[in-house]
C-alpha cells in the first residue's frame, strides 16, 4: 500500500519513443496551446471589471482581484490533485496530460462532456473578443488623437517659421 503523496507526479512524462524529441515537443506544445490561450485571454478584462466596480478604491480593487485569484488557485489545485489521484484508477497507474484521452473514444458520457466543453469554448469566445476589440479601438483612438495633436503643433510651428522668414517690412518688395 502506497501513501497518497507517492501518487502525485509533478513532472509530466512522455513515453512516446517512436517519434523524435523535437516532433514530440512540438506536438505537446500544440496540445497545450488551447490551455495557455484560455488561461491568458482573460487578463485584458481587468479594466472593464475595474470600471464596473462601485467605488473602485485601490483597496477594494485589490481585494476583488486577490479574492478571485485565490479562488481560481484553490480550484486549480483541487482539480490537479483529483486528476493526479485518478491515475490510481487506471491499470497502468498513469494518465495522459489531457485526462480526456484516458477514456475510451466511444464513451457516451465522455462524448457529452466533450460536446459541452466545445460549446462552452465556442460561446465564450465573444466574451473574450469584445473586450479585446474595445481595448484595441481605444488604443487606436488615443494614438490618432496624439498624432493629430502632434501634427497640428508642428503645423503651427511651421506656420510661425514661414511668417518670420517672409515677414520683412511688409511693403511687398523682395530683397
Amino acid at each position: 500500500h502506497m501513501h497518497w503523496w507517492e501518487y502525485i507526479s509533478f513532472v509530466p512524462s512522455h513515453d512516446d519513443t517512436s517519434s523524435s524529441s523535437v516532433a514530440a515537443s512540438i506536438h505537446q506544445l500544440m496540445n497545450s496551446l488551447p490551455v495557455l490561450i484560455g488561461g491568458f485571454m482573460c487578463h485584458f478584462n481587468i479594466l472593464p471589471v475595474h470600471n464596473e466596480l462601485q467605488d473602485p478604491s485601490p483597496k477594494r480593487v485589490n481585494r476583488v482581484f486577490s479574492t478571485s485569484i485565490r479562488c481560481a488557485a484553490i480550484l486549480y489545485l483541487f482539480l490537479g490533485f483529483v486528476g493526479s489521484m485518478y491515475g490510481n484508477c487506471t491499470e497502468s497507474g498513469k494518465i495522459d496530460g489531457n485526462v480526456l484521452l484516458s477514456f475510451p473514444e466511444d464513451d457516451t458520457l465522455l462524448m457529452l462532456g466533450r460536446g459541452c466543453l466545445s460549446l462552452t469554448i465556442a460561446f465564450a469566445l465573444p466574451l473574450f473578443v469584445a473586450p479585446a476589440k474595445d481595448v484595441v479601438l481605444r488604443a487606436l483612438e488615443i494614438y490618432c488623437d496624439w498624432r493629430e495633436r502632434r501634427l497640428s503643433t508642428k503645423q503651427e510651428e511651421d506656420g510661425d517659421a514661414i511668417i518670420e522668414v517672409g515677414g520683412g517690412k511688409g511693403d511687398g518688395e523682395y530683397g
Side-chain angles (χ1 to χ4, degrees):
H1 177 67
M2 295 174 55
H3 294 285
W4 65 269
W5 60 81
E6 295 174 328
Y7 291 108
I8 299 174
S9 173
F10 293 105
V11 180
S13 64
H14 185 68
D15 296 333
D16 186 10
T17 56
S18 63
S19 63
S20 69
S21 62
V22 173
S25 62
I26 290 173
H27 180 68
Q28 287 176 334
L29 175 66
M30 295 309 288
N31 280 338
S32 65
L33 203 57
V35 174
L36 295 172
I37 290 172
F40 289 105
M41 281 186 70
C42 63
H43 288 81
F44 53 81
N45 286 320
I46 289 175
L47 295 177
V49 169
H50 179 271
N51 290 337
E52 293 296 321
L53 288 176
Q54 294 175 355
D55 182 35
S57 66
K59 182 179 179 181
R60 190 168 182 188
V61 170
N62 206 8
R63 186 175 45 181
V64 167
F65 291 141
S66 297
T67 302
S68 65
I69 289 171
R70 285 187 188 111
C71 289
I74 289 169
L75 177 68
Y76 291 152
L77 286 171
F78 174 74
L79 291 176
F81 180 76
V82 170
S84 68
M85 296 305 289
Y86 173 74
N88 298 334
C89 301
T90 61
E91 293 176 15
S92 66
K94 294 181 179 180
I95 56 172
D96 293 323
N98 182 352
V99 72
L100 295 176
L101 298 176
S102 299
F103 295 98
E105 289 288 327
D106 58 349
D107 188 357
T108 307
L109 187 59
L110 178 66
M111 292 304 290
L112 178 67
R114 285 181 177 164
C116 290
L117 179 62
S118 298
L119 286 174
T120 301
I121 292 170
F123 288 127
L125 188 63
L127 297 175
F128 292 135
V129 172
K133 175 196 64 129
D134 292 340
V135 168
V136 169
L137 290 177
R138 179 71 179 136
L140 285 173
E141 181 182 332
I142 290 171
Y143 173 74
C144 290
D145 289 346
W146 170 80
R147 186 162 184 208
E148 186 177 311
R149 283 193 315 270
R150 185 173 155 231
L151 289 175
S152 65
T153 304
K154 185 172 175 117
Q155 286 175 352
E156 288 174 5
E157 290 173 358
D158 290 346
D160 290 344
I162 292 172
I163 292 172
E164 290 173 9
V165 170
K169 298 180 182 175
D171 54 7
E173 295 180 17
Y174 297 102

